Amino acid sequence: MLIPCIDLQGGQAVQLVHGRMRELVVADVFGLLKKFKEHPWLHVIDLDAAVGKGENDALVRELCVSARNDFGMKVRIGGGIRSVSRAEEISGWGASQLIIGSAAFRGGKVNTVFLGQLAKKLPRRQIIVALDTVRGQIAIHGWRKRVALHAEQVMAQLEPFCAGFLCTDVDREGTMTGANLAWFQTLRGATSLPIIAAGGIKRHREISALEKLQMDAAVGMAIYKNKLR
């Protein structure tokens, strides 16, 4: 399955290269929602909240409500969800799933205390853990910091707390240089839970290759630039 992404920064949809350099900006965010309406799932990521520099709460909520009510889409929301109360709040907006990234780690280890607390308030089926990787290491806080862990090392420990994983190859994010299929193959061998693959995806044949690994593909830049082939 191809999953389109709306990444928000300053009230606009943006696409970044390696999570840092802004490549393009789309002011008409709801126009994107209409463009993506035929897809069953949508990712909405608050980049400002992810790096701790503001938030786009009102816009995220409106997108979630419209996607669900107007187009029948399911929405995954991520970015800056670092407390149980925050997770409960966003879940109340009608999100089908929440993406938990930075909060899943603390002190260089899996934050089982937080994840256990979250599990008491929200069902496991609503939680996706983001395992985004920079040069082989898990990246957190908007990909600004790294944890000395590899995604495949922690999947088994995280499985009791989530329904699946969102795995982004940050080294290829926004570059349209092709998916790192070898890395995704390694991840597939580390868990039986669903995996959503992201980073560098440009061609339908890559999406097909990921499908053979029983993975969905989250695609941004290639869709925004109409380069998906």
Side-chain angles (χ1 to χ4, degrees), residues 87-104:
E88 289 184 292
E89 178 188 6
I90 294 176
S91 177
W93 298 349
S96 296
Q97 290 183 325
L98 307 182
I99 301 168
I100 306 296
S102 304

Side-chain angles (χ1 to χ4, degrees), residues 52-222:
K53 294 183 178 180
E55 42 75 19
N56 296 273
D57 282 6
L59 183 53
V60 173
R61 184 171 185 169
E62 287 180 44
L63 283 168
C64 185
V65 170
S66 181
R68 185 185 71 242
N69 294 345
D70 298 336
F71 305 116
M73 302 175 79
K74 295 180 180 180
V75 183
R76 289 190 186 99
I77 294 177
I81 305 174
R82 298 191 180 118
S83 69
V84 174
S85 60
R86 178 67 168 163
E88 289 184 292
E89 178 188 6
I90 294 176
S91 177
W93 298 349
S96 296
Q97 290 183 325
L98 307 182
I99 301 168
I100 306 296
S102 304
F105 301 94
R106 186 173 184 179
K109 299 178 181 180
V110 172
N111 191 353
T112 53
V113 173
F114 168 76
L115 292 169
Q117 293 170 343
L118 185 63
K120 293 177 182 178
K121 296 294 184 178
L122 294 176
R124 178 186 172 196
R125 68 177 181 274
Q126 284 191 313
I127 304 302
I128 295 294
V129 173
L131 296 175
D132 306 326
T133 297
V134 175
R135 298 181 183 177
Q137 293 184 327
I138 292 171
I140 59 175
H141 294 290
W143 304 337
R144 267 52 174 184
K145 299 180 181 179
R146 279 187 265 175
V147 181
L149 295 169
H150 296 268
E152 63 270 22
Q153 293 175 326
V154 298
M155 284 177 150
Q157 190 177 358
L158 289 164
E159 283 180 349
F161 304 105
C162 67
F165 302 99
L166 170 61
C167 299
T168 302
D169 181 354
V170 181
D171 296 319
R172 301 195 187 197
E173 177 69 11
T175 65
M176 296 187 294
T177 53
N180 186 347
L181 295 175
W183 182 57
F184 291 120
Q185 178 76 62
T186 298
L187 298 181
R188 181 73 285 167
T191 183
S192 60
L193 291 186
I195 294 175
I196 304 128
I201 299 168
K202 183 180 179 180
R203 298 174 180 84
H204 284 291
R205 69 177 183 227
E206 295 164 35
I207 298 171
S208 297
L210 290 166
E211 184 180 8
K212 290 178 181 178
L213 294 174
Q214 297 181 318
M215 296 184 186
D216 292 333
V219 183
M221 193 74 78

